[in-house]
Amino acid sequence: MLNTRYRAELDALEVYLRSVLNPMPHAALERFWESMFYSLLSDGKRFRPVLSMLTARAFGKPVELVLPLAAAVELIHTYSLIHDDLPLMDNDDMRRGRPTNHKVYGEAMALLAGDGLLTAAFSVLAQSSSPQAITAVHLLSEAAGPHGMVGGQVLDIDAQTPDVALLEEIHKLKTGALIKVAVEAAAVLCGATPEQQQAMAEYGEHLGLAFQLADDLQDYNPEKPEKMNFVTLLGEAETRTRLAKANEEALECLFLFPATADPLRHMIQLNNERV
């Protein structure tokens, strides 16, 4: 999976992530910084930031050009997980094989750690050397905010018995927006033409849906059905059909790009390998 095929990208990302928060030398803040690093440096997939780095490869650019974006995307993703795990949201005790942030540091510190990561993300991205950095900041703020991930979370909280259209809208915003922007904003930083940017945005959108469909297939347990997802709503066979279609549509979006985009094509196949 990611950790075997993209070892170089992951190693570069981990080194960069350890440098971006720059803790203040203040004894009273040590536990706060520790809380942020606890979640940020946990054993995650790094799917989203790797997408940004592979997009740079597709454009023949060095990954260093998009590392601020890759880190910013991961900071935002991590903040969202910390907040999702809180008792007033999903109330989860475990994340990635160890206690969730609030179980270790308390609810107030976990809330503030999430706030810190979210805010730091835009400071990190603003340091990009690309002349298109401000456009990337705008795209990321839209994807993370009320028109994207946060809006999707609100829809998810309020949806008791969603139909397929509403479920797709929830995950387009809650999950897909951050995946889409990881690709689209990276393309912008690399100097994409409007046509290339649009193709990458559509690739990211289809890939985001495929990612969620694969997640639902991977997590589904017919003996312990939890909240509504694609499998409980559509059944396993139809969910697999929709996954195949989303993968095909994502692949078609890359027709503009040469073999340098093959790693992005491989990311589509990863969704199939998970299920």
Side-chain angles (χ1 to χ4, degrees):
M1 301 287 279
L2 279 179
N3 61 346
T4 55
R5 180 174 284 260
Y6 300 118
R7 187 72 264 167
E9 284 81 4
L10 286 165
D11 287 346
L13 176 66
E14 294 302 324
V15 171
Y16 192 77
L17 282 175
R18 292 175 185 276
S19 72
V20 295
L21 289 184
N22 191 26
M24 293 170 60
H26 195 306
L29 292 173
E30 285 182 4
R31 189 167 173 79
F32 170 61
W33 292 104
E34 182 183 312
S35 175
M36 285 194 285
F37 279 115
Y38 176 84
S39 295
L40 181 63
L41 301 181
S42 66
D43 189 22
K45 299 185 188 78
R46 309 299 196 208
F47 182 81
R48 294 157 186 81
V50 166
L51 280 172
S52 296
M53 298 167 80
L54 297 183
T55 300
R57 300 280 193 209
F59 281 90
K61 303 291 186 179
V63 297
E64 289 76 16
L65 180 64
V66 299
L67 272 176
L69 170 67
V73 167
E74 190 65 9
L75 288 167
I76 291 173
H77 178 56
T78 303
Y79 119 77
S80 73
L81 298 181
I82 293 174
H83 283 193
D84 281 353
D85 290 337
L86 287 167
L88 80 167
M89 297 287 279
D90 292 343
N91 194 23
D92 285 325
D93 293 343
M94 300 293 292
R95 167 75 64 180
R96 296 170 177 170
R98 60 180 186 167
T100 49
N101 195 293
H102 70 274
K103 284 295 180 180
V104 178
Y105 297 97
E107 293 176 28
M109 189 65 76
L111 183 69
L112 291 168
D115 292 344
L117 291 167
L118 171 61
T119 311
F122 295 99
S123 174
V124 171
L125 180 51
Q127 297 172 45
S128 167
S129 61
S130 171
Q132 302 301 323
I134 191 168
T135 302
V137 169
H138 171 71
L139 289 170
L140 184 60
S141 63
E142 287 289 294
H147 296 286
M149 186 176 66
V150 175
Q153 184 68 65
V154 173
L155 290 178
D156 193 29
I157 289 172
D158 288 343
Q160 300 300 316
T161 54
D163 57 17
V164 175
L166 178 55
L167 194 61
E168 287 185 348
E169 182 67 13
I170 288 170
H171 290 303
K172 177 181 178 180
L173 299 176
K174 182 181 175 182
T175 303
L178 206 57
I179 292 175
K180 175 183 174 182
V181 78
V183 180
E184 182 183 9
V188 167
L189 292 175
C190 292
T193 66
E195 185 181 17
Q196 289 172 328
Q197 180 183 342
Q198 180 65 26
M200 283 295 184
E202 291 177 2
Y203 162 82
E205 188 167 319
H206 293 305
L207 187 69
L209 175 59
F211 184 88
Q212 185 61 54
L213 290 163
D215 251 11
D216 287 358
L217 285 164
Q218 188 176 40
D219 296 341
Y220 180 64
N221 183 345
E223 296 180 0
K224 296 181 180 179
E226 298 181 358
K227 67 183 299 184
M228 189 69 71
N229 62 32
F230 284 107
V231 183
T232 58
L233 192 61
L234 297 171
E236 183 176 344
E238 176 61 20
T239 303
R240 290 186 181 277
T241 297
R242 287 176 180 253
L243 172 60
K245 180 181 179 184
N247 284 337
E248 181 181 348
E249 290 174 336
L251 186 61
E252 289 173 356
C253 293
L254 296 176
F255 77 95
L256 288 174
F257 300 94
T260 51
D262 282 351
L264 290 177
R265 296 181 177 97
H266 178 256
M267 295 294 273
I268 299 169
Q269 181 59 30
L270 283 180
N271 284 323
N272 290 329
E273 294 175 8
R274 291 166 59 207
V275 297

